Amino acid sequence: MAAFEYTALDESGRNRHGVLSGDSARQLRARLRAMNLYPVAVRAVREDGTKTTGQLRVPRVSAAALALLTRRLATLVRAGMPLDEALRALIDQAPSRRLRAMLADVCARISEGAALHEAMSVYPTVFPEFYCNMVAAGEVGGGLDETLERLADYTESRRALRQSLSTALIYPALLTLVSLLVVAVLLIYVVPEVVRVFQDTGRALPWLTAGLIVTSQTVRDIGWLLGAGAVVALLSARALLKQPVIQAHCHRLLLNLPFIGRVNRTLHAARLTRSLAILTYSGVPLLEALEISSRMITNIPLRAAVQDAAVSVREGGRLHRALRACGWFPPLLVQMLAAGEESGELDDMLARAADYEEQELRTTLTTATALFEPCIILVMGAVVLVIVLAILLPIFEMNQLVGI
């Protein structure tokens, strides 16, 4: 069945708005008349005509929009409003038509008797698996409003962490790009015009100047071919990285690199502990929480390590020992988990560990950015110095000849 938004008049002449499900608009109008309502407008909210799943083509929702939507829903549920009414209130506040249609469909499914997490799971691009599992835990435990508040906090903290990562990388990437463009302009346009004067003299040029001339000519002649080759190489590497075996080897290599490996391990450790903290605090068993959290880790060796840890816990082992055995996770994190398991406050210790790992990641990136910026400036200065020396050396030789 499809979901329909309707506008109708009741017996007193007041407008009534809502969402109902049905096979057709005609059937829905008959249902409204049976409810002593006069239908004014009935509009289908599903756009793709799919009859197998009934899923809308809803674009991905940003983390900020999802956090705002979750917090508003938590506020309405905490105020005692039924779920279907709370969702109808959110429909009017949705920023796009497709998002309103999706919320209307979720509301219709709930009206048909589906649970909230079941209705949300139909739209994985909006509500991820982790989100739906959290909602399911809140519905079973009877604390849906509190669970939604934690979900909103988690979404906002993850967005803030991702934003800090992007901010830390934007300036170095932009500085590197500008440096490459400046060098390319010097080699393609400036150097040939300046060096042509020395070539016309017929004298032997210094080796640095001759090398610069060859480099400049090569860039001008086959620069486009080098650029095309770089693009082909990147596309080929991207295709190869989709192969599971090659992807696993590359992920393992990233973990072993001096600086990138540390950042990668810290990032996934923060993601793992944060998701485990929220799930266990909401009453999800540790085994199920480990299985859900492992699917959020994109690094293949780390994901396998978490899955192995889940097997060890299922067999009666301790979580901190299983994570220590793989050797990928920070020692301090393992010690904090050990303290949490010994004291019986694992969920609280997981939250503290997540805070620490996220702060450690921000500090590492800030320090690396502060060191990278002067390094790229020094490299850029050295390249420009080489170009200037290559241009000035013939001038010095000509001045010496004139002086003689």
Side-chain angles (χ1 to χ4, degrees), residues 9-31:
L9 299 176
D10 60 11
E11 295 178 347
S12 61
R14 291 180 298 179
N15 282 331
R16 298 288 185 179
H17 303 278
V19 179
L20 290 175
S21 59
D23 295 327
S24 64
R26 182 176 181 180
Q27 182 191 42
L28 190 61
R29 290 190 182 94
R31 287 179 58 188

Side-chain angles (χ1 to χ4, degrees), residues 37 67 197 222 229 237 280 336 381:
L37 296 174
V197 178
I222 61 172
T280 54
M336 294 179 71

Side-chain angles (χ1 to χ4, degrees), residues 370-394:
L371 293 176
F372 181 79
E373 292 172 6
C375 289
I376 193 65
I377 292 175
L378 289 175
V379 171
M380 180 61 183
V383 172
V384 174
L385 177 61
V386 170
I387 295 176
V388 172
L389 287 177
I391 295 173
L392 291 180
L393 282 177

Side-chain angles (χ1 to χ4, degrees), residues 134-146:
M134 280 290 300
V135 173
E139 288 179 304
V140 173
L144 181 59
D145 53 349
E146 189 175 354

Side-chain angles (χ1 to χ4, degrees), residues 7 16 18 56 61 64-65 70 97 100 106 134 166 200-201 215 222 228 239 255 259 266 288 328 362 372 378 384 387:
T7 301
R16 298 288 185 179
L56 290 166
V61 178
T70 306
R97 182 173 179 269
R100 288 195 295 271
V106 172
M134 280 290 300
S166 301
D200 295 338
T201 61
T215 304
I222 61 172
L255 291 176
F259 173 75
T266 305
E288 185 178 352
W328 295 119
R362 293 189 185 95
F372 181 79
L378 289 175
V384 174
I387 295 176

Side-chain angles (χ1 to χ4, degrees), residues 29 31 74-75 79 93 99 101 111 124 129 189 196 237 245 274 278 289 296 311 329 331 350:
R29 290 190 182 94
R31 287 179 58 188
T75 302
Q93 304 176 24
L99 193 56
S111 300
E129 181 184 10
Y189 297 104
R196 185 179 297 126
V245 177
R274 180 66 68 187
I278 295 177
M296 298 180 61
V311 174
F329 294 94
L350 283 168

